[in-house]
Amino acid sequence: MCRWLAYSGSPILLESILYKPQHSLIDQSLHARLGPHTTNGDGFGVGWYGEGDEPALYKCVDPVWNDRNLKELSRQIRSRLMFAHIRASTGTPVQQTNCHPFRHGKWLWMHNGQIAGFAGVKRELVMAVDPALYGSIEGSSDTEVFFYLALTFGLAENPPAAVQRAVGFIERTCRAQGIEHPMRMSVAASDGESLWAFRYSSEGVPPSLFYSTDVQALREQHPEIEVFRTLSDESRMVVSEPLGELAGVWNEVPPSSWGRIREGQDQVGPFIPAAH
Amino acid sequence: MCRWLAYSGSPILLESILYKPQHSLIDQSLHARLGPHTTNGDGFGVGWYGEGDEPALYKCVDPVWNDRNLKELSRQIRSRLMFAHIRASTGTPVQQTNCHPFRHGKWLWMHNGQIAGFAGVKRELVMAVDPALYGSIEGSSDTEVFFYLALTFGLAENPPAAVQRAVGFIERTCRAQGIEHPMRMSVAASDGESLWAFRYSSEGVPPSLFYSTDVQALREQHPEIEVFRTLSDESRMVVSEPLGELAGVWNEVPPSSWGRIREGQDQVGPFIPAAH
Amino acid sequence: MCRWLAYSGSPILLESILYKPQHSLIDQSLHARLGPHTTNGDGFGVGWYGEGDEPALYKCVDPVWNDRNLKELSRQIRSRLMFAHIRASTGTPVQQTNCHPFRHGKWLWMHNGQIAGFAGVKRELVMAVDPALYGSIEGSSDTEVFFYLALTFGLAENPPAAVQRAVGFIERTCRAQGIEHPMRMSVAASDGESLWAFRYSSEGVPPSLFYSTDVQALREQHPEIEVFRTLSDESRMVVSEPLGELAGVWNEVPPSSWGRIREGQDQVGPFIPAAH
Amino acid sequence: MCRWLAYSGSPILLESILYKPQHSLIDQSLHARLGPHTTNGDGFGVGWYGEGDEPALYKCVDPVWNDRNLKELSRQIRSRLMFAHIRASTGTPVQQTNCHPFRHGKWLWMHNGQIAGFAGVKRELVMAVDPALYGSIEGSSDTEVFFYLALTFGLAENPPAAVQRAVGFIERTCRAQGIEHPMRMSVAASDGESLWAFRYSSEGVPPSLFYSTDVQALREQHPEIEVFRTLSDESRMVVSEPLGELAGVWNEVPPSSWGRIREGQDQVGPFIPAAH
């Protein structure tokens, strides 16, 4: 069911967060611990903010553990805001246009979870996407449709409100078709300035999600990653599962909540799908 | 802009029609003569009727000229009805779900040409697809939407009528958006019994299309293909461009026409998009 | 460390042995039980004897669990002798030329295991391959070099003797370089007439290997596979791990042994690497 | 028969030299003008010096004209020394380990041309590679073997001497086997400090090769590439075929010559294969 990580802070090499940690995302592609799938080999993707205004993407359908190019690139890509995602498909084809992260303008978006019964509601959901945005949908995944609904409902103006509206709409649409518990999600989104995280489930425990709070603790936890010594106090990571042993470093993101990481004051709030 | 070939007749090895001819489809992938693209390297696909009721598919995103697997398979696949297509993308991504032929139940469908301005009309066209069929659309190509419109308009009952209705609908929708000459097409479709071919353009010369009529002439034209000596008189091929020198063997399919190849009497007729 | 299966008997669809069993090879690609790797996602291959004298191959670098083409092909390929292999690389690149089975003339060859310290002895081993065969080596895997050594030592004339000579040579070469326990192997080979299996390890327990002996029991064990009712008594499978629960159906191939399955009398014997 | 380009100078985005020119390498992948192949779709690769001492590589088996990832990366990779190559295979498989550029330590190497009759001399050539280097050979191409022979003969100490020795050895080995005119080559190599280019043929006209000499003229020739205004006078490109119309900008590298581009004084000299 996918694993992801997002980083915001001092510019560091992608390699530091993608390959070096003990239980890195690469390791999670074969030995994930906190999801229903130990193997996440149905493609991967990284997105990062570097040259220019729009984020760059590198997405492939191959298992990440074999990809030599990604290993090379991770030693060259230095960025202050990076997304990485490994996929375990929930039914839609394995193709580049179904890999995360998704991008629209300066926005990046990735997701772990699924919309239950998506095949039956897809047409309705897609039709609710702003016609001006419809043409930007390239693939066939639930995640991408979810992203375009969030954009339709004002992601660029107010991300928590937009995502809550999108989830509310999805839940209503699914329930009208007899799908009682439609939504499971941990989501990361960014416009290049802030890093937004969301954790919610229509019912039960949502997909796992953790954030790092203490850079000092990060340094102690990962002595093998020298670059952490150079990190600013603002540096943060949000991850599907901890990159190392739980030692007071990784904090669980509460269910039904959202968070915003940015320079200066971070924000948190409750995630409540909009009623209408 | 793609090249394709279709075969109907005695069961023969795919290799005979795909690799052995002088100007085979493999040769056309690098040196096509009658289309705007000499190179057709954006994926390929073959479909054939063999074991079971539904046709089988083998589709790849790689250029056909490099594919070792296809060469192997072509020496093993023996069938009485086969489709083969090499793609030059008109804009949509190169992915397996955008390769032809497309399949729905026992139907196969492939296309050379395009719907002009497709990005702007896609939403309307997709919304006209029968909701019960919508979920079967996997890719993002104009060809696939065209196929599902034809299915919506009754391809299974009356192929010429259904395709004429689909094209009529596409033309009207495009013209309402200021696209004056929307449709260019050569299409092959089959239900495993008949092989249907269509050739039409909203304006000007449609994509090239030829059929073979004389099996005797086929034998004389291609002495290097021994198996043609064993072909029944019913055996026919329909191709985007001739597989060898024009020696009275290849006959141009008239513009704005359709044809039906099957055991017994073949059929032809004018192709006139339906007014409504 | 790879999993494989081989079938010899009445012509059946590849699907019957590759997809239908409870713990099929496809299931083993994600949930293998008897090897060091639960995941075998570094490519796969199938080989089979059909049209013509030489066997056909279909090999891909992608994880087998995602491959739509293989699913399609398995419903069309009907053969009396088939090999299937899923790979977990022991270090050499994931590329089509490193996927099994390997082919030379009418011979097929696949392997689970490895030559320890291969990188250090590769040059010596390759130099011992018959210069007339050297040019046929396409990849960089230990399995392929092992195959060509077996061919060099007379695989076509006397397979058990040839493979024992090859392993003897490999062991001597490795031990001269300080590698004490070089060889772990379960191997399948065929010339289209007989199916040969080998199980050996320089030390300790060799990779798991089982054969099916009782077609009657196979029918009882796999009621979901109708085709087994049509199998001849000669039909046999050799597998890395059982395709279903151990119910007296799967028999362990003894360590340090070889077997030959063919029409008429099968053969077995001890596997003893040749001293020189 | 491949096309390549190499850049040395002020750090610029890869996109500037790879995508922006009128007759870019991307354009040459479909419409090359100066080689035997108009299409070069058998894989591609880029190498560049960035973070760390060793150059980074990005190599793929797909046609370059379709690769979205490369387009993204080219807008992010900024480097002072870059190699790019598009491949038309001369017989060896299309796989990542046969794509150029090749790397060994801090060396990059790429080639347009071939060793005639390579299959027959490969064993001898490979055996002449320093045994300590043998294990670094990953693929099966003539270019890679040529590279490792150059390394064996002292590429790191004296590139012109080493490459002349390698070519001399290759010519002698081939002629002993009756191959009269073995070598056709344009080669680029670099250690991160200097950019070396070589142009030679055993007989007749070697593969085309050009260098840019006048940065002022480059600016006038390519007004669409703004970044050229920021280039230092030292900036140079070496290309298989000009990236724009011949307007006194592109100078033919003389046959049988080598050149060295670096800060300060460049060097040129005659290329004469060593006699022994």
Coordinates of all heavy atoms in Angstrom, one line a residue, chain C residues 29-75:
Chain C
S29 N 6.9 -15.3 -6.2 CA 7.7 -14.1 -6.5 C 7.6 -13.1 -5.4 O 8.4 -12.2 -5.2 CB 7.3 -13.5 -7.9 OG 6.0 -13.0 -7.8
L30 N 6.5 -13.1 -4.7 CA 6.3 -12.2 -3.6 C 6.3 -12.9 -2.2 O 6.6 -12.3 -1.2 CB 4.9 -11.5 -3.7 CG 4.9 -10.3 -4.6 CD1 3.5 -9.9 -5.0 CD2 5.7 -9.2 -4.1
H31 N 6.1 -14.2 -2.2 CA 6.0 -14.9 -0.9 C 6.7 -16.2 -0.9 O 6.1 -17.2 -0.5 CB 4.5 -15.1 -0.5 CG 3.7 -13.8 -0.6 ND1 3.8 -12.7 0.2 CD2 2.7 -13.5 -1.5 CE1 3.0 -11.8 -0.1 NE2 2.3 -12.2 -1.1
A32 N 7.9 -16.2 -1.4 CA 8.6 -17.5 -1.4 C 8.8 -17.9 0.1 O 9.0 -17.1 1.0 CB 9.9 -17.4 -2.1
R33 N 8.8 -19.2 0.3 CA 8.9 -19.7 1.7 C 10.2 -20.5 2.0 O 10.7 -20.5 3.1 CB 7.8 -20.7 1.9 CG 6.4 -20.1 1.9 CD 5.3 -21.1 2.0 NE 4.0 -20.5 1.6 CZ 2.9 -21.2 1.2 NH1 3.0 -22.5 1.2 NH2 1.8 -20.5 0.8
L34 N 10.8 -21.0 1.0 CA 12.0 -21.9 1.2 C 13.3 -21.4 0.8 O 14.2 -22.2 0.7 CB 11.7 -23.3 0.5 CG 10.5 -24.1 1.0 CD1 10.4 -25.4 0.2 CD2 10.5 -24.3 2.5
G35 N 13.4 -20.1 0.5 CA 14.7 -19.6 0.1 C 15.0 -18.4 1.0 O 14.2 -18.0 1.9
P36 N 16.2 -17.8 0.8 CA 16.6 -16.7 1.6 C 15.8 -15.4 1.3 O 15.8 -14.4 2.0 CB 18.1 -16.5 1.3 CG 18.3 -17.1 0.0 CD 17.3 -18.2 -0.1
H37 N 15.2 -15.4 0.1 CA 14.5 -14.2 -0.3 C 13.0 -14.5 -0.4 O 12.6 -15.4 -1.2 CB 14.9 -13.7 -1.7 CG 16.4 -13.4 -1.8 ND1 17.3 -14.3 -2.4 CD2 17.1 -12.4 -1.3 CE1 18.5 -13.7 -2.3 NE2 18.4 -12.6 -1.7
T38 N 12.2 -13.7 0.2 CA 10.7 -13.9 0.0 C 10.3 -13.3 -1.3 O 9.4 -13.7 -2.0 CB 9.9 -13.2 1.1 OG1 10.4 -11.9 1.3 CG2 10.0 -14.0 2.4
T39 N 11.1 -12.2 -1.7 CA 10.8 -11.6 -3.0 C 11.8 -12.0 -4.1 O 13.0 -11.9 -3.9 CB 10.9 -10.0 -2.8 OG1 10.0 -9.7 -1.8 CG2 10.4 -9.3 -4.1
N40 N 11.2 -12.3 -5.2 CA 12.0 -12.7 -6.4 C 11.5 -11.8 -7.6 O 10.8 -12.2 -8.4 CB 11.9 -14.2 -6.7 CG 12.4 -15.1 -5.7 OD1 13.6 -15.4 -5.6 ND2 11.6 -15.5 -4.7
G41 N 12.0 -10.5 -7.5 CA 11.4 -9.6 -8.5 C 12.4 -9.0 -9.5 O 12.2 -7.9 -10.1
D42 N 13.5 -9.7 -9.7 CA 14.6 -9.2 -10.5 C 14.6 -9.8 -11.9 O 15.6 -10.2 -12.5 CB 16.0 -9.4 -9.9 CG 16.1 -8.7 -8.6 OD1 15.5 -7.7 -8.4 OD2 16.9 -9.2 -7.7
G43 N 13.4 -9.9 -12.4 CA 13.2 -10.5 -13.8 C 12.7 -11.9 -13.7 O 12.7 -12.6 -12.7
F44 N 12.3 -12.4 -14.9 CA 11.8 -13.7 -15.0 C 11.9 -14.2 -16.4 O 12.3 -13.4 -17.3 CB 10.3 -13.8 -14.6 CG 9.4 -13.0 -15.6 CD1 8.8 -13.6 -16.7 CD2 9.1 -11.7 -15.4 CE1 8.1 -12.9 -17.6 CE2 8.3 -11.0 -16.3 CZ 7.8 -11.6 -17.4
G45 N 11.7 -15.5 -16.6 CA 11.7 -16.0 -18.0 C 11.0 -17.4 -18.1 O 10.9 -18.1 -17.1
V46 N 10.4 -17.6 -19.3 CA 9.9 -18.9 -19.5 C 10.5 -19.4 -20.9 O 10.8 -18.6 -21.7 CB 8.3 -18.9 -19.6 CG1 7.7 -18.5 -18.3 CG2 7.8 -18.0 -20.8
G47 N 10.6 -20.7 -20.9 CA 11.1 -21.4 -22.2 C 10.2 -22.6 -22.4 O 9.8 -23.2 -21.5
W48 N 10.0 -22.9 -23.7 CA 9.1 -24.0 -24.0 C 9.4 -24.6 -25.4 O 9.9 -23.8 -26.2 CB 7.7 -23.6 -23.8 CG 7.1 -22.7 -24.9 CD1 6.4 -23.1 -26.0 CD2 7.3 -21.3 -25.0 NE1 6.1 -22.0 -26.8 CE2 6.6 -20.9 -26.1 CE3 7.9 -20.3 -24.1 CZ2 6.5 -19.5 -26.5 CZ3 7.8 -19.0 -24.5 CH2 7.1 -18.6 -25.7
Y49 N 9.1 -25.8 -25.5 CA 9.3 -26.5 -26.8 C 8.0 -26.5 -27.5 O 7.0 -27.0 -27.0 CB 9.9 -27.9 -26.6 CG 11.3 -27.9 -26.1 CD1 11.5 -27.8 -24.7 CD2 12.4 -28.0 -27.0 CE1 12.8 -27.7 -24.2 CE2 13.7 -28.0 -26.5 CZ 13.9 -27.8 -25.1 OH 15.2 -27.8 -24.6
G50 N 8.0 -25.9 -28.7 CA 6.7 -25.8 -29.5 C 7.0 -26.0 -30.9 O 7.4 -27.1 -31.4
E51 N 6.7 -25.0 -31.7 CA 7.0 -25.0 -33.2 C 8.5 -25.0 -33.4 O 9.2 -24.3 -32.7 CB 6.4 -23.8 -33.8 CG 4.9 -23.6 -33.6 CD 4.1 -24.0 -34.8 OE1 4.7 -24.5 -35.8 OE2 2.8 -24.0 -34.8
G52 N 8.9 -25.8 -34.3 CA 10.4 -25.9 -34.7 C 11.1 -26.7 -33.7 O 10.6 -27.3 -32.7
D53 N 12.4 -26.8 -33.9 CA 13.3 -27.7 -33.1 C 13.8 -27.0 -31.9 O 14.0 -27.6 -30.8 CB 14.5 -28.2 -33.9 CG 14.1 -29.0 -35.1 OD1 13.2 -29.9 -34.9 OD2 14.7 -28.9 -36.2
E54 N 14.1 -25.7 -32.0 CA 14.7 -25.0 -30.9 C 13.5 -24.5 -29.9 O 12.5 -24.1 -30.4 CB 15.5 -23.8 -31.4 CG 16.7 -24.3 -32.1 CD 17.7 -23.2 -32.3 OE1 17.5 -22.1 -31.7 OE2 18.7 -23.4 -33.0
P55 N 13.8 -24.4 -28.7 CA 12.8 -23.9 -27.7 C 12.7 -22.4 -27.9 O 13.6 -21.7 -28.3 CB 13.4 -24.3 -26.4 CG 14.9 -24.3 -26.6 CD 15.1 -24.9 -28.0
A56 N 11.5 -21.9 -27.5 CA 11.3 -20.5 -27.5 C 11.5 -19.9 -26.2 O 11.4 -20.6 -25.2 CB 9.8 -20.2 -28.0
L57 N 11.8 -18.6 -26.1 CA 12.0 -17.9 -24.8 C 11.2 -16.7 -24.7 O 11.0 -16.0 -25.7 CB 13.5 -17.5 -24.8 CG 14.6 -18.5 -24.6 CD1 16.0 -17.9 -24.6 CD2 14.4 -19.3 -23.3
Y58 N 10.8 -16.4 -23.5 CA 10.1 -15.1 -23.2 C 10.7 -14.6 -21.9 O 10.5 -15.3 -20.9 CB 8.6 -15.2 -23.1 CG 8.0 -13.9 -22.7 CD1 7.9 -12.8 -23.5 CD2 7.4 -13.8 -21.4 CE1 7.4 -11.6 -23.1 CE2 6.8 -12.6 -21.0 CZ 6.8 -11.5 -21.9 OH 6.2 -10.3 -21.5
K59 N 11.6 -13.6 -21.9 CA 12.3 -13.1 -20.8 C 12.2 -11.6 -20.6 O 12.3 -10.9 -21.5 CB 13.8 -13.5 -20.9 CG 14.0 -15.0 -21.2 CD 15.4 -15.5 -20.7 CE 16.5 -14.9 -21.5 NZ 17.8 -15.6 -21.2
C60 N 12.0 -11.2 -19.3 CA 11.8 -9.8 -19.0 C 12.5 -9.4 -17.7 O 12.6 -10.3 -16.8 CB 10.3 -9.5 -18.8 SG 9.4 -9.3 -20.3
V61 N 12.8 -8.1 -17.6 CA 13.5 -7.7 -16.4 C 12.5 -7.3 -15.3 O 12.9 -7.0 -14.2 CB 14.4 -6.5 -16.7 CG1 15.5 -6.9 -17.6 CG2 13.7 -5.3 -17.3
D62 N 11.2 -7.2 -15.7 CA 10.2 -6.7 -14.7 C 9.8 -7.8 -13.7 O 10.0 -9.0 -14.0 CB 9.0 -6.2 -15.4 CG 9.3 -5.2 -16.5 OD1 9.9 -4.2 -16.2 OD2 8.9 -5.5 -17.7
P63 N 9.3 -7.4 -12.5 CA 8.8 -8.4 -11.6 C 7.6 -9.2 -12.3 O 6.8 -8.6 -13.0 CB 8.2 -7.6 -10.5 CG 8.9 -6.3 -10.5 CD 9.1 -6.0 -12.0
V64 N 7.6 -10.5 -12.1 CA 6.6 -11.3 -12.8 C 5.2 -11.0 -12.4 O 4.2 -11.1 -13.1 CB 6.9 -12.8 -12.6 CG1 6.5 -13.3 -11.2 CG2 6.2 -13.6 -13.7
W65 N 5.0 -10.5 -11.1 CA 3.7 -10.3 -10.6 C 2.9 -9.2 -11.4 O 1.7 -9.2 -11.3 CB 3.7 -10.1 -9.1 CG 4.3 -8.8 -8.6 CD1 3.8 -7.6 -8.7 CD2 5.6 -8.7 -8.1 NE1 4.7 -6.7 -8.2 CE2 5.9 -7.4 -7.8 CE3 6.7 -9.6 -7.7 CZ2 7.0 -6.9 -7.2 CZ3 7.8 -9.2 -7.2 CH2 8.0 -7.8 -6.9
N66 N 3.6 -8.4 -12.0 CA 3.0 -7.3 -12.8 C 2.8 -7.5 -14.2 O 2.2 -6.7 -14.9 CB 3.8 -6.0 -12.7 CG 3.5 -5.2 -11.4 OD1 2.4 -5.3 -10.9 ND2 4.5 -4.5 -11.0
D67 N 3.4 -8.6 -14.8 CA 3.5 -8.7 -16.2 C 2.2 -9.2 -16.9 O 1.9 -10.4 -16.8 CB 4.6 -9.6 -16.6 CG 5.1 -9.4 -18.0 OD1 5.9 -8.5 -18.2 OD2 4.6 -10.1 -18.9
R68 N 1.5 -8.3 -17.5 CA 0.2 -8.6 -18.2 C 0.5 -9.5 -19.4 O -0.3 -10.4 -19.7 CB -0.4 -7.4 -18.7 CG -0.9 -6.4 -17.6 CD -1.5 -5.2 -18.2 NE -2.5 -4.7 -17.3 CZ -3.5 -3.9 -17.7 NH1 -3.6 -3.5 -18.9 NH2 -4.3 -3.4 -16.8
N69 N 1.6 -9.3 -20.1 CA 1.9 -10.0 -21.3 C 2.0 -11.5 -20.9 O 1.5 -12.4 -21.7 CB 3.1 -9.5 -22.0 CG 2.9 -8.2 -22.7 OD1 1.8 -7.9 -23.2 ND2 3.9 -7.4 -22.8
L70 N 2.7 -11.8 -19.9 CA 2.9 -13.2 -19.5 C 1.6 -13.9 -19.2 O 1.4 -15.1 -19.5 CB 3.9 -13.3 -18.3 CG 4.2 -14.8 -17.9 CD1 5.0 -15.5 -19.0 CD2 5.0 -14.8 -16.6
K71 N 0.7 -13.2 -18.5 CA -0.6 -13.7 -18.2 C -1.3 -14.1 -19.5 O -1.9 -15.2 -19.6 CB -1.4 -12.7 -17.4 CG -2.4 -13.4 -16.4 CD -2.9 -12.4 -15.4 CE -3.8 -13.0 -14.3 NZ -4.1 -14.3 -14.4
E72 N -1.3 -13.2 -20.5 CA -1.9 -13.5 -21.7 C -1.3 -14.7 -22.4 O -1.9 -15.6 -22.9 CB -1.8 -12.2 -22.7 CG -2.4 -11.0 -22.2 CD -3.9 -10.9 -22.5 OE1 -4.3 -11.4 -23.6 OE2 -4.6 -10.3 -21.7
L73 N 0.0 -14.6 -22.5 CA 0.8 -15.7 -23.2 C 0.5 -17.1 -22.6 O 0.4 -18.1 -23.3 CB 2.3 -15.4 -23.2 CG 2.7 -14.1 -24.0 CD1 4.1 -13.8 -23.8 CD2 2.4 -14.4 -25.5
S74 N 0.5 -17.1 -21.3 CA 0.3 -18.4 -20.6 C -1.0 -19.0 -20.9 O -1.1 -20.3 -20.8 CB 0.4 -18.2 -19.1 OG -0.7 -17.5 -18.6
R75 N -2.0 -18.3 -21.4 CA -3.3 -18.9 -21.8 C -3.2 -19.3 -23.3 O -4.2 -19.9 -23.7 CB -4.4 -17.8 -21.7 CG -4.7 -17.5 -20.2 CD -6.0 -16.7 -20.2 NE -6.1 -16.0 -18.9 CZ -6.2 -14.7 -18.8 NH1 -6.2 -13.9 -19.9 NH2 -6.3 -14.1 -17.6

